[in-house]
Amino acid sequence: MLASAALNVLIASQGAIRIAPGNVRVPIPSIARKSSPELGQYYDLYAAPRDAADLDQPLPINMQPRPIGVRKRLNDVERENDWIRSVHVWFVNDDGEVLMQKREKGEEFAGKWDVSCRGELTAADSTSKAAVKEISDDIGLRMDEKSVELMKFCTVPHSPVDANGNRMPFAERVNEYQDMYVIPAPVAVKNLDRYLSNDVVFVPCEELFRAWIEYDPAYVWRPDHYRHELEAAIVRMGHFGYSGWRNNEPDPYVYRPVARR
């Protein structure tokens, strides 16, 4: 369960802004958005999952992606099917709505709704440092790295190729270990009146999860194990209004170490 002390640190240090209740999509402040990752940047490579079955579940809680001591440019990573690491940060408000951004022109899946803040780890970055950077770059929030680090709840593998080796056209094209964070909103945003954007909105969790299940073309698709972990993390943050859209079912997403051969 996410540390309540860390939530208090974030909210107390950043202050609060009012978010309208209900299921209305509410534009929130943003800053000038960053461009796509530079192909000239280098990325640390990681060992691939051991078998295809590992692609459909999060890493065990006591396991991290294993670096292999090699760095490559992003275009080489894509061409050679290597594995890198990224951060996905989700902001959730008290009404159980998640903050989403529309991908920019020139990005993969441009114009589709996606995670609140996201980005690949460049060489030598820690996951928490990368998360803090993406939060600042994407939506203008300045957050404490140690507090943000406590918000990480799992790491999920992502591959554009399914278990049969077939390319999935609706999946992102890079192999990634995606470190997932859930952070409470609202929090203070500097220059509140200057950065309103219709490309940054709150969406009800139920709407997002159904969009993924139904392959809604307006959203960047995420697989079932990603959805399960995000939903479980939101439900466990008990002060939020969202209690799961399968209310009559037990929570099947308890984190358990996976037996390794």
Side-chain angles (χ1 to χ4, degrees), residues 3-20:
S4 59
L7 304 183
N8 293 334
V9 168
L10 282 172
I11 295 174
S13 63
Q14 302 296 331
I17 58 175
R18 185 178 63 84
I19 299 296

Side-chain angles (χ1 to χ4, degrees), residues 28-31 139-140 142 188-196:
I28 74 158
S30 181
I31 63 171
I139 58 175
R142 296 183 180 223
V189 180
K190 286 196 170 185
N191 300 320
L192 181 65
D193 298 326
R194 292 182 57 192
Y195 299 117
L196 290 175

Side-chain angles (χ1 to χ4, degrees), residues 12-160:
S13 63
Q14 302 296 331
I17 58 175
R18 185 178 63 84
I19 299 296
N23 291 338
V24 179
R25 289 186 171 181
V26 183
I28 74 158
S30 181
I31 63 171
R33 308 274 290 284
K34 69 180 187 304
S35 60
S36 301
E38 293 290 339
L39 294 181
Q41 290 180 310
Y42 282 87
Y43 298 81
D44 289 320
L45 303 188
Y46 295 83
R50 296 189 180 186
D51 54 49
D54 291 338
L55 294 174
D56 296 329
Q57 56 188 329
L59 268 62
I61 55 175
N62 59 349
M63 181 179 291
Q64 295 292 320
R66 181 172 61 84
I68 61 174
V70 177
R71 292 175 178 174
K72 291 184 180 180
R73 297 179 188 270
L74 188 59
N75 54 347
D76 295 326
V77 169
E78 294 178 12
R79 184 176 61 252
E80 298 170 15
N81 293 320
D82 294 309
W83 282 78
I84 59 175
R85 197 168 181 176
S86 67
V87 293
H88 284 206
V89 182
W90 290 94
F91 285 90
V92 187
N93 68 17
D94 290 333
D95 297 307
E97 298 169 324
V98 291
L99 180 65
M100 305 201 75
Q101 285 203 63
K102 186 178 288 187
R103 289 207 178 179
E104 288 187 302
K105 183 178 180 180
E107 287 189 288
E108 186 180 19
F109 301 120
K112 295 190 177 188
W113 294 106
D114 198 13
V115 60
S116 309
C117 308
R118 53 173 279 278
E120 292 82 6
L121 271 69
T122 52
D125 267 353
S126 69
T127 178
S128 56
K129 180 179 179 180
V132 168
K133 180 180 181 299
E134 296 303 328
I135 292 168
S136 176
D137 287 352
D138 283 358
I139 58 175
L141 301 182
R142 296 183 180 223
M143 292 193 165
D144 176 69
E145 183 178 344
K146 291 183 178 179
S147 298
V148 170
E149 184 176 8
L150 295 176
M151 301 295 146
K152 179 173 178 272
F153 64 92
C154 75
T155 300
V156 297
H158 164 80
S159 176

